[in-house]
Amino acid sequence: MLRIHNVKVKLGKMDERKIVSQVLNVREKAIRNVQLSKQSIDARRQNVHWICSFDFEVDDEDAFIKTHPQVQKVKPYQYVYKQANDKKVVVVGSGPAGLFCAYTLACAGQDVTVIERGKKVEERVKDVDALMHEGILNPMSNIAFGEGGAGTFSDGKLTTGIKNHRLRYILETFVKHGAPKDILYASKPHIGTDYLRKVLIDMRHFMEEKGVCFMFETQMIDYSSKAQGYQVKVKKNQQIQTIDTDVLVLAIGHSARDTYELLYQKGLPMEAKAFAVGLRIEQSQEKINQIQYKKSAHSPYLKAAPYKLAVQTSEKRGVYTFCMCPGGYVVPSHHEAGTLCVNGMSYYSRNAKNANSAILVNVMPSDFESDHPLAGIAFQRQLEEKAFKLGGENYHAPVQLAMNYINGTNYPLGKIEPSYLPGYTLTDLNQLFPAFINRNLKEGLMLMNQKMPGFIDEDTLLTGVEARSSAPVRILRNEYLESSSQGIYPIGEGAGYAGGIMSAAVDGMVCAEMILREDKNGSC
């Protein structure tokens, strides 16, 4: 297989074989099996176009490369599974890290049990709907907890800043279980909450056929060491039972506050870490399309436009957009009664009227009221309790026009209707944060508007509070991903080692490989 990079393609002109033949100046008959391997949008100028890479085959690759030095050889990707051992593995949490740890182990033939406090996707959707439409919160089944983790009800972004060969395997696994094939070549792939739910169900059925035991609505409440391995105590429907295991994988997610407390009491080394808090900004998607795509804003070949911005304020605080959801919705992501936290969600089509994104300010452990490892959780909870009160104490979100927040004015809402359900309350978001966060958020918003003129206008909305962009805790581990207790593996976003679906899934796969390693020196 050969590959050619950086091919400029007009929107709507995707005849792969013809394009490659023209670029290389060869007959179409000379090439075969042409496939799009990478596609990105170049919107730097008025005439927006695609930049593509293509894979193809020819009869004599070596001779072809000599006459066409712009092409290179590529090998089809293949992930090699390690050999199973006789260890029993319990995975706590079914987010991306836990699932891909379990999936990798299952494909190797390992004995795996997955414990998940929330419900399976089919039932979890009903509880999320009850919160969004009736204001009824189920503390154990919501956008924070349940099959697939918090990412199940998000935009389903499959982008990451890490470079790792396992990323290809993860994308191929998603496609194998029903995801759109364009995630294999899109430069900014996303699966959408609707497809992700279907993929999770298919992955679960596949793993169950491999022998994986899933225990939903089951919470780990304690564990203890024994002669070999651990005894895990779990609770389901007020019934207590124990599970013996050789290996305990902690893929707990960034919202498992009671589990963090348990692990701290058990003596697992951990530390407070930096994270970020802020608001959700909501704009007209049509306006964002015009800014990003210019003359091509109404092209039928372009989906809703994304954006990504990062600035540094005069106080040297980083302010940045996070989890930008084109054509999406602002949704409730809290799980504790008397608190309110928001996130963003999009379907695969991204066809809603509004765009939304988190606007976050970095916070450091030095900003917290104590040096306790769990001080960041207390900081989050304080903000979420304030947001709940500002919203009216009925799970309505506090909302304000961006310009009112920045300038201290009080104009009524404009053309944009807040997408958050179950409802919203107009308020002064300055009451939500400590002064240093307000200062840096406001300065950051204005700097972003300078970088992307039109980013903020008279209709732009802000909704609070976004407090769970990442874990406020890091559970310490060694180079083999084990904690200070041998056989306990803290992984993923909840352990403080990932930041999104893809990096968490990679961490889960690496954990599986460590469990399957042949010796204690890390060889696999």
Side-chain angles (χ1 to χ4, degrees):
M1 185 71 73
L2 299 178
R3 178 171 294 169
I4 181 170
H5 293 285
N6 298 319
V7 179
K8 183 177 177 180
V9 179
K10 292 182 179 181
L11 299 181
K13 303 295 183 182
M14 191 57 73
D15 185 335
E16 290 93 339
R17 192 176 186 187
K18 184 176 181 179
I19 291 168
V20 173
S21 69
Q22 290 177 344
V23 171
L24 296 175
N25 195 25
V26 297
R27 294 183 301 168
E28 288 189 38
K29 293 181 179 179
I31 57 176
R32 59 184 182 274
N33 295 333
V34 182
Q35 297 178 7
L36 181 62
S37 61
K38 197 73 174 177
Q39 184 184 56
S40 61
I41 296 171
D42 187 342
R44 292 173 294 178
R45 298 174 179 83
Q46 288 294 326
N47 294 320
V48 178
H49 56 274
W50 290 313
I51 299 293
C52 301
S53 298
F54 297 96
D55 291 349
F56 61 97
E57 295 177 354
V58 296
D59 287 331
D60 189 337
E61 290 186 351
D62 292 331
F64 194 88
I65 289 175
K66 288 181 180 179
T67 57
H68 300 84
Q70 69 269 50
V71 304
Q72 64 185 54
K73 283 188 178 183
V74 292
K75 292 182 179 179
Y77 177 78
Q78 185 177 11
Y79 179 79
V80 179
Y81 294 100
K82 309 303 176 184
Q83 187 174 356
N85 53 46
D86 60 359
K87 295 177 181 177
K88 292 183 179 180
V89 181
V90 166
V91 178
V92 180
S94 68
L99 280 182
F100 272 89
C101 179
Y103 190 95
T104 307
L105 292 170
C107 289
Q110 199 76 12
D111 184 334
V112 183
T113 298
V114 177
I115 297 170
E116 169 58 57
R117 75 167 72 192
K119 296 181 181 180
K120 61 179 64 175
V121 168
E122 302 94 318
E123 299 171 17
R124 184 184 179 194
V125 169
K126 299 175 184 177
D127 292 322
V128 172
D129 284 345
L131 175 58
M132 293 175 66
H133 297 285
E134 302 173 50
I136 300 173
L137 173 66
N138 182 335
M140 291 297 180
S141 179
N142 42 64
I143 285 180
F145 295 141
E147 186 175 18
T152 302
F153 294 88
S154 68
D155 183 54
K157 283 181 177 57
L158 305 179
T159 52
T160 178
I162 68 171
K163 303 291 183 183
N164 192 289
H165 71 89
R166 299 172 186 85
L167 296 172
R168 181 68 186 186
Y169 172 84
I170 295 164
L171 293 175
E172 289 181 351
T173 300
F174 283 140
V175 171
K176 174 182 176 180
H177 293 287
K181 292 182 179 180
D182 64 6
I183 67 173
L184 296 176
Y185 58 79
S187 64
K188 297 179 180 178
H190 91 109
I191 196 170
T193 183
D194 44 350
Y195 273 95
L196 187 51
R197 298 174 198 178
K198 299 173 185 177
V199 168
L200 288 169
I201 294 170
D202 202 68
M203 287 181 68
R204 186 211 316 149
H205 291 164
F206 174 85
M207 284 188 275
E208 287 175 334
E209 290 175 0
K210 293 282 186 182
V212 176
C213 174
F214 282 87
M215 300 177 67
F216 292 104
E217 300 178 70
T218 304
Q219 183 179 3
M220 181 185 75
I221 58 172
D222 200 3
Y223 70 88
S224 57
S225 58
K226 54 192 189 70
Q228 288 188 339
Y230 297 89
Q231 187 174 76
V232 181
K233 184 182 291 186
V234 300
K235 180 171 69 173
K236 179 175 183 177
N237 297 329
Q238 304 305 314
Q239 300 295 315
I240 307 296
Q241 69 178 95
T242 59
I243 304 169
D244 290 333
T245 185
D246 299 296
V247 175
L248 179 59
V249 177
L250 300 174
I252 61 175
H254 60 44
S255 293
R257 293 169 174 172
D258 49 2
T259 306
Y260 282 129
E261 182 65 36
L262 168 66
L263 300 178
Y264 175 76
Q265 296 297 331
K266 302 295 287 189
L268 235 60
M270 59 181 66
E271 62 185 13
K273 62 178 278 289
F275 62 107
V277 300
L279 301 164
R280 276 268 150 190
I281 190 167
E282 199 161 11
Q283 304 128 322
S284 160
Q285 184 61 56
E286 183 179 4
K287 177 72 175 291
I288 297 300
N289 290 349
Q290 291 170 352
I291 295 171
Q292 297 293 74
Y293 293 152
K294 307 172 185 68
K295 292 181 179 179
S296 301
H298 299 289
S299 171
Y301 304 107
L302 294 173
K303 293 185 178 181
Y307 58 77
K308 185 176 182 180
L309 295 166
V311 297
Q312 188 178 61
T313 69
S314 57
E315 297 181 24
K316 306 302 181 184
R317 294 270 180 176
V319 181
Y320 59 95
T321 62
F322 177 78
C323 189
M324 192 271 156
C325 296
Y329 307 87
V330 180
V331 295
S333 61
H334 44 271
H335 73 279
E336 294 177 327
T339 67
L340 190 138
C341 186
V342 298
N343 196 10
M345 182 182 80
S346 295
Y347 294 97
Y348 175 71
S349 63
R350 289 176 165 174
N351 61 358
K353 292 182 179 180
N354 295 354
N356 76 79
S357 175
I359 304 290
L360 303 177
V361 178
N362 284 327
V363 293
M364 311 299 292
S366 57
D367 296 317
F368 308 150
E369 294 181 353
S370 80
D371 58 0
H372 192 285
L374 304 182
I377 292 177
F379 185 84
Q380 287 178 321
R381 188 178 280 128
Q382 289 173 2
L383 294 179
E384 292 173 8
E385 289 173 346
K386 284 185 179 180
F388 180 72
K389 292 179 180 179
L390 285 173
E393 300 186 351
N394 55 1
Y395 299 116
H396 286 204
V399 169
Q400 188 175 23
L401 282 176
M403 295 309 298
N404 284 349
Y405 170 70
I406 294 169
N407 298 326
T409 51
N410 190 29
Y411 296 109
L413 292 186
K415 299 177 182 178
I416 299 175
E417 178 72 17
S419 62
Y420 178 91
L421 293 175
Y424 63 90
T425 300
L426 291 178
T427 188
D428 180 9
L429 291 173
N430 284 278
Q431 301 176 44
L432 181 56
F433 297 111
F436 80 92
I437 293 181
N438 280 325
R439 288 195 309 270
N440 285 280
L441 266 180
K442 292 176 183 181
E443 184 180 350
L445 285 166
M446 297 309 296
L447 289 172
M448 288 177 180
N449 196 53
Q450 291 175 17
K451 292 183 71 171
M452 182 177 166
F455 179 71
I456 297 173
D457 63 18
E458 66 277 6
D459 298 314
T460 304
L461 298 173
L462 296 174
T463 304
V465 61
E466 172 106 11
R468 303 191 195 183
S469 60
S470 63
V473 181
R474 178 172 288 112
I475 305 173
L476 304 184
R477 67 189 191 187
N478 63 22
E479 60 187 305
Y480 309 125
L481 277 60
E482 285 181 296
S483 74
S484 59
S485 300
Q486 186 175 353
I488 294 182
Y489 293 80
I491 65 170
E493 224 173 306
Y497 295 97
I501 292 172
M502 296 298 284
S503 59
V506 166
D507 208 47
M509 290 183 67
V510 174
C511 177
E513 293 165 10
M514 291 294 103
I515 293 168
L516 298 172
R517 71 188 188 273
E518 295 175 355
D519 60 66
K520 290 298 180 181
N521 294 320
S523 300
C524 294

